[in-house]
Amino acid sequence: MASKAKNNDFTLIAHRGASYDAPENTFESFDLALELGFANIETDIQLTSDGRVVVIHDSELDRTTDATGLVAETAIAKIKSLNAGLWFEGPDDGAGVKGPMAYPEAFVPTLDDILERYAGKIHLHLELKSKEPELSELAHKSLEKWGWLDQSTGGYESPGLTMTSFHFEQLERSIALMPNIAHGWLVQNLDKATLTAAFELGLSGIYPNASKVTKKQVTDAHKAGLSVRTWGIADSKPNLHRAYRSGATGTTVDWPAIAREVIEAI
Ligand code: G3P
Ligand code: CA
């Protein structure tokens, strides 16, 4: 199921899950996205010190767990023992309970955890967050193990898989390992040089910052055979409008249910 706004060509992707209402990149935020009707879910992966792939955005543990230090310098046993929900000061859950009390069980999942739990249920937009060459190799192995490589790709159908990264070298490695899977390059600006590089690598998409994207850039990308979806909306409704009007096919958002209402009102 791809949750669509009024424009059937614009798909809302739950960024780090429904991360406005639940702690990002946890089962809680991914489950909530699904409950709200959003089967397109974005998440981030990095490597631990002992070579395990974990689902976390920052290179440091400090912001989203009850520990400090670099993910890359911490072993999986320690990371699995951490709480990933106590930091979260989310909105009222409707029963008068806020953040910390609402998510006492949240933990940092491994990539294997989420591939097992959501197999056949979501279109995963998987971002290779860190730069280690082993990250794309290990992600590939896990995706193969859990049967994610034979699903829909290049669009937003669920179940499905799209690989993304800001790091061009990571995309080069990943596309060599998974040539049949759609890959999109996260960029700040969709300029001619990025368009050419993306086309030459054989990427299927280019993903500019929503606050900078223009209609002409999107048209040029489409002419080059590249799909465009945006990121970086944060809580900005003007940026959401801008992304929607640019002709992009979708965007990541922290609050997909609110975004759906905003777009339906345009
Ligand atoms: O949709 C891509 C977006 O997630 C990239 O930015 O920093 O949230 O990973 P970031
Ligand atoms: Ca991300």
Side-chain angles (χ1 to χ4, degrees):
M1 171 182 59
S3 185
K4 302 287 176 71
K6 188 169 64 180
N7 175 349
N8 279 341
D9 296 326
F10 195 77
T11 299
L12 297 167
I13 304 166
H15 180 234
R16 310 179 199 170
S19 59
Y20 182 78
D21 293 294
E24 67 184 54
N25 285 335
T26 63
F27 283 176
E28 284 78 355
S29 63
F30 302 140
D31 287 354
L32 182 58
L34 273 173
E35 276 168 37
L36 293 169
F38 297 89
N40 276 266
I41 295 177
E42 189 266 357
T43 193
D44 311 281
I45 51 171
Q46 305 195 47
L47 276 190
T48 64
S49 64
D50 46 353
R52 293 288 300 276
V53 184
V54 285
V55 174
I56 189 165
H57 177 271
D58 295 3
S59 57
E60 294 181 339
L61 296 162
D62 305 37
R63 182 178 62 86
T64 58
T65 77
D66 52 350
T68 58
L70 292 170
V71 175
E73 292 179 358
T74 308
I76 187 66
K78 167 91 183 282
I79 289 180
K80 289 295 279 191
S81 75
L82 303 180
N83 184 287
L86 294 177
W87 66 277
F88 184 70
E89 287 287 347
D92 192 303
D93 72 352
V97 180
K98 282 193 171 190
M101 290 301 292
Y103 302 100
E105 308 293 336
F107 62 92
V108 178
T110 62
L111 176 60
D112 285 326
D113 288 338
I114 64 162
L115 295 181
E116 179 180 19
R117 185 177 178 91
Y118 299 106
K121 295 181 182 163
I122 66 171
H123 187 122
L124 182 64
H125 299 260
L126 186 60
E127 181 182 346
L128 298 162
K129 195 71 189 166
S130 54
K131 292 185 176 175
E132 306 95 336
E134 300 79 17
L135 181 64
S136 40
E137 290 158 21
L138 291 167
H140 170 237
K141 276 188 192 155
S142 288
L143 288 162
E144 193 167 47
K145 174 182 170 187
W146 294 106
W148 282 73
L149 296 182
D150 300 322
Q151 302 182 95
S152 172
T153 192
Y156 298 100
E157 292 76 21
S158 175
L161 173 68
T162 300
M163 299 298 295
T164 76
S165 189
F166 282 103
H167 309 306
F168 196 73
E169 299 76 14
Q170 214 51 302
L171 291 168
E172 286 179 309
R173 283 188 281 269
S174 183
I175 205 166
L177 292 162
M178 300 179 264
N180 297 325
I181 296 297
H183 283 70
W185 188 12
L186 294 158
V187 296
Q188 286 293 341
N189 258 314
L190 206 176
D191 57 25
K192 202 166 183 321
T194 54
L195 208 56
T196 304
F199 178 78
E200 287 178 354
L201 182 57
L203 301 180
S204 49
I206 191 143
Y207 302 161
N209 190 318
S211 69
K212 298 172 183 170
V213 70
T214 68
K215 206 166 185 169
K216 168 143 188 355
Q217 290 169 348
V218 175
T219 305
D220 289 347
H222 287 167
K223 279 184 192 157
L226 292 157
S227 69
V228 180
R229 68 101 166 145
T230 62
W231 60 275
I233 300 273
D235 58 356
S236 165
K237 290 177 185 170
N239 284 349
L240 177 60
H241 280 225
R242 184 183 180 103
Y244 179 76
R245 290 187 170 126
S246 73
T249 57
T251 192
T252 49
V253 283
D254 295 3
W255 28 244
I258 293 173
R260 180 167 49 198
E261 285 173 16
V262 169
I263 286 172
E264 279 171 357
I266 291 177

